[in-house]
Amino acid sequence: MSFADAAVEILADIMVESWDIFAEAAPYLLLGFGIAGLLHVFVPDDKVMQYLGSSAGKFRSVINASFLGVPLPLCSCGVVPAALSLRKRGATKGATLSFLISTPQTGVDSIAITYALLDPIMTVFRPVATFATAVVAGVAENILNPSKDKDDKLPEKPAPLNVLPMFSAEPDSCGCSSCGPHEEAENFIDKVKAGAKYAYIELLGEIGFWLIVGVVVAGIISYVVPENLVGNYLGGGIASMLLALIVGIPLYICATASTPLAAVLILKGMSPGAAFVFLLAGPATNAATITMVLKFLGRRTTAVYLASIALCAVVCGLVLDQIYSRLGIDVISIAGSASEVMPEEVKNIFAVILLPLLLYGMYAGKKCTE
């Protein structure tokens, strides 16, 4: 066999592995994006400010911000301007930090893909741990770096800043397709149509590239990396979690795209706790986000931000490993089992539907930013 033939065969095998991962996730991604679209049109921004502003109290606002961020499908690209807008509109620093952490770590789309590619335990544990991490960071910020009263009051004439890019009526600075102008829908049918457009064109376009990258990289890992290599170095324990933390913190990857990578690494022998550290830290932080937090919220807030994520990620990873151990569950044997109830043919049909939507969303998003 010539080198060219071998290369083509390897490429074909990687494409098959990547397609299998994509097909497993496709039905749940379509469902998750649909729910995201409904949130987009039925949750008004004035309600957001009512529960995140300083009038809600320093600690209650943290709880509200953490809870609100969990289902929102907003990646690192959009969460920084959204969080800074909340701060300028009167949200406490703690609430701002909580929203900044809980929003990119998970969302209805990433929860759906977690159920498809991993298992029910991880599906439930992921949003719970995200919420807990955001609360810890927000409360720590309000205690360690208390703001002066005047800093937490709404400006008398606030500038028309966007509360959330997905709810905005003006373009946002993040450059995502979802940040552009939207027409206000008045009746129920129009709102559903607007939600579908947002979910299956704009949101897909925003994260489509990174989702495809995540699936392809997962396919490469699945084909290339031997199982004993991952198991030997990332099979469990504090060292493997610290390594996952070091890799995850500076990496730019969204919650949805990180899930296929974690699923493949678990199947290769990584402990669920170490994989969870990557799932928690990777989407919440990256070099660009850290720079923005440092510039606009200050060094002490940045320190609380990173320390809270690192500490909670490792603690949650250790707890998750103990859960699987105490229950006597082999995560490799049940990973992806939730999607096995659906025939392969049906999953492939959903994948065929999702792929052109992804490509069109990416094309439309690129045209929007030109």
Side-chain angles (χ1 to χ4, degrees):
M1 182 183 295
S2 65
F3 175 80
D5 292 338
V8 170
E9 183 177 344
I10 291 173
L11 182 61
D13 290 340
I14 291 175
M15 290 178 65
V16 169
E17 293 282 353
S18 299
W19 178 261
D20 288 342
I21 294 170
F22 184 71
E24 290 286 339
Y28 301 91
L29 279 173
L30 286 168
L31 174 63
F33 282 119
I35 296 173
L38 296 178
L39 287 174
H40 166 64
V41 294
F42 287 107
V43 180
D45 57 352
D46 59 336
K47 290 295 183 183
V48 175
M49 281 314 303
Q50 178 183 344
Y51 292 104
L52 268 64
S54 57
S55 60
K58 291 186 176 182
F59 298 103
R60 184 184 170 195
S61 63
V62 165
I63 301 293
N64 292 338
S66 303
F67 183 78
L68 175 70
V70 168
L72 292 181
L74 194 61
C75 68
S76 298
C77 174
V79 71
V80 173
L84 295 179
S85 177
L86 288 174
R87 175 62 182 156
K88 288 182 178 295
R89 291 292 298 275
T92 65
K93 264 194 175 183
T96 304
L97 205 61
S98 295
F99 182 82
L100 191 63
I101 290 173
S102 68
T103 305
Q105 280 187 343
T106 189
V108 288
D109 51 342
S110 60
I111 293 171
I113 196 176
T114 303
Y115 181 77
L117 297 182
L118 293 168
D119 60 65
I121 294 176
M122 193 79 81
T123 304
V124 174
F125 192 81
R126 188 175 187 178
V128 170
T130 293
F131 177 78
T133 303
V135 170
V136 167
V139 171
E141 171 64 22
N142 282 338
I143 292 176
L144 298 176
N145 303 319
S147 301
K148 296 179 181 179
D149 292 339
K150 64 180 180 179
D151 293 333
D152 286 333
K153 292 181 180 178
L154 271 168
E156 293 182 4
K157 295 182 179 180
L161 295 169
N162 301 326
V163 176
L164 295 175
M166 64 175 64
F167 301 141
S168 71
E170 300 177 3
D172 198 272
S173 59
C174 75
C176 298
S177 59
S178 60
C179 299
H182 297 282
E183 295 181 0
E184 289 292 332
E186 295 183 357
N187 58 56
F188 179 80
I189 299 299
D190 288 342
K191 285 188 175 182
V192 171
K193 289 180 180 179
K197 179 182 177 182
Y198 168 76
Y200 298 117
I201 296 179
E202 298 180 11
L203 183 57
L204 275 174
E206 180 182 333
I207 75 166
F209 174 77
W210 295 108
L211 177 60
I212 291 174
V213 168
V215 169
V216 171
V217 172
I220 294 172
I221 293 174
S222 179
Y223 178 79
V224 174
V225 178
E227 295 183 8
N228 59 347
L229 179 65
V230 177
N232 289 341
Y233 292 97
L234 296 170
I238 189 71
S240 64
M241 294 179 193
L242 291 176
L243 181 58
L245 190 67
I246 291 171
V247 171
I249 282 181
L251 189 65
Y252 183 93
I253 189 167
C254 71
T256 303
S258 65
T259 309
L261 299 180
V264 169
L265 289 171
I266 287 175
L267 292 174
K268 290 292 183 179
M270 176 183 276
S271 76
F276 188 79
V277 170
F278 175 75
L279 285 177
L280 206 64
T285 62
N286 60 68
T289 304
I290 294 170
T291 302
M292 293 291 286
V293 174
L294 184 63
K295 180 177 180 180
F296 290 102
L297 297 180
R299 288 179 294 178
R300 290 191 296 180
T301 299
T302 304
V304 172
Y305 168 68
L306 292 175
S308 300
I309 292 173
L311 178 62
C312 291
V314 173
V315 170
C316 289
L318 293 171
V319 169
L320 187 62
D321 274 348
Q322 284 297 312
I323 290 174
Y324 281 101
S325 177
R326 294 291 179 87
L327 294 177
I329 296 175
D330 179 11
V331 67
I332 296 178
S333 65
I334 66 171
S337 59
S339 63
E340 292 177 359
V341 298
M342 192 175 298
E344 292 295 326
E345 295 80 6
V346 175
K347 288 185 284 189
N348 284 322
I349 290 173
F350 279 113
V352 170
I353 295 172
L354 179 60
L355 184 58
L357 289 174
L358 271 173
L359 297 177
Y360 179 76
M362 292 165 60
Y363 169 78
K366 183 178 179 181
K367 293 290 288 184
C368 179
T369 56
E370 287 179 351

